[in-house]
Amino acid sequence: MTTAMPRPAALPRALDAPTPAPRTARPDEAAALAALSRPFVRSGALRERPVSLYAAHAADFLVLEAPDGTLDGCVGLRAYPTDAREDGELAGVVYNFCVAAHRQGSGAGAGLLRAALVTARARSLGALFTATTGSAGLFLRHGFTPTTAHRAPRTWAQSLDPRRDARVLIRTW
């Protein structure tokens, strides 16, 4: 599940802070990924995931690292076979997208999403899907459009919790 929390007023230091290039997470950062996600889980914006999942799927995550080594943001990107196609095409799913409160409004989220889009194209993913309980504004500004879960990879679509009433979005090239 991917979403964004309401954005607080941008802090002047957040605007002045350089935004490092996103990098792939390491398995030893699983606890940090879980901690970064925790406020979003408490707000209902993200589903809770065990630390073991973050460790097992660390390579899915792009992260922004602060100068002090803490994580300021993360986004997961996983490839799935497309069910309706027989040519072996893959689709991607953007998930567990979050940015620390002190970095919201600084462009950190947009930078993470752009990095996920570049990664998806480099991996020849034919489409990207996401689900959000938020406004979806960032996704819409980056070319995502509303769609239905029926168009998404079946395994991922079946994992969506209908009680969350998430909007499913797609980005194609």
Side-chain angles (χ1 to χ4, degrees):
M1 177 72 55
T2 308
T3 192
M5 290 176 51
R7 181 180 353 179
L11 302 173
R13 65 183 174 86
L15 295 175
D16 294 335
T19 301
R23 64 166 175 80
T24 303
R26 300 181 309 264
D28 67 340
E29 293 175 310
L33 288 165
L36 179 63
S37 302
R38 200 164 292 121
F40 296 88
V41 170
R42 281 195 298 262
S43 76
L46 288 178
R47 290 185 288 179
E48 187 166 11
R49 293 175 170 89
V51 172
S52 60
L53 183 138
Y54 290 108
H57 297 285
D60 283 0
F61 287 90
L62 296 173
V63 296
L64 285 179
E65 184 176 357
D68 67 1
T70 60
L71 299 184
D72 280 346
C74 68
V75 61
L77 173 63
R78 185 173 303 160
Y80 290 84
T82 54
D83 303 313
R85 305 283 306 265
E86 294 185 17
D87 60 5
E89 183 177 354
L90 296 175
V93 171
V94 172
Y95 71 102
N96 204 102
F97 186 15
C98 53
V99 175
H102 71 277
R103 288 300 306 271
Q104 291 180 17
S106 71
L112 275 169
L113 185 54
R114 281 191 302 272
L117 292 170
V118 167
T119 301
R121 290 192 73 172
R123 292 173 63 187
S124 299
L125 300 179
L128 276 184
F129 291 88
T130 196
T132 182
T133 58
S135 71
L138 181 64
F139 291 108
L140 296 171
R141 286 191 299 275
H142 283 84
F144 284 80
T145 57
T147 190
T148 65
H150 295 12
R151 292 187 61 199
R154 184 180 6 240
T155 305
W156 176 75
Q158 290 174 341
S159 75
L160 296 175
D161 182 349
R163 295 171 296 179
R164 295 177 57 83
D165 197 29
R167 294 172 62 189
V168 176
L169 305 170
I170 186 173
R171 169 75 154 78
T172 58
W173 328 117

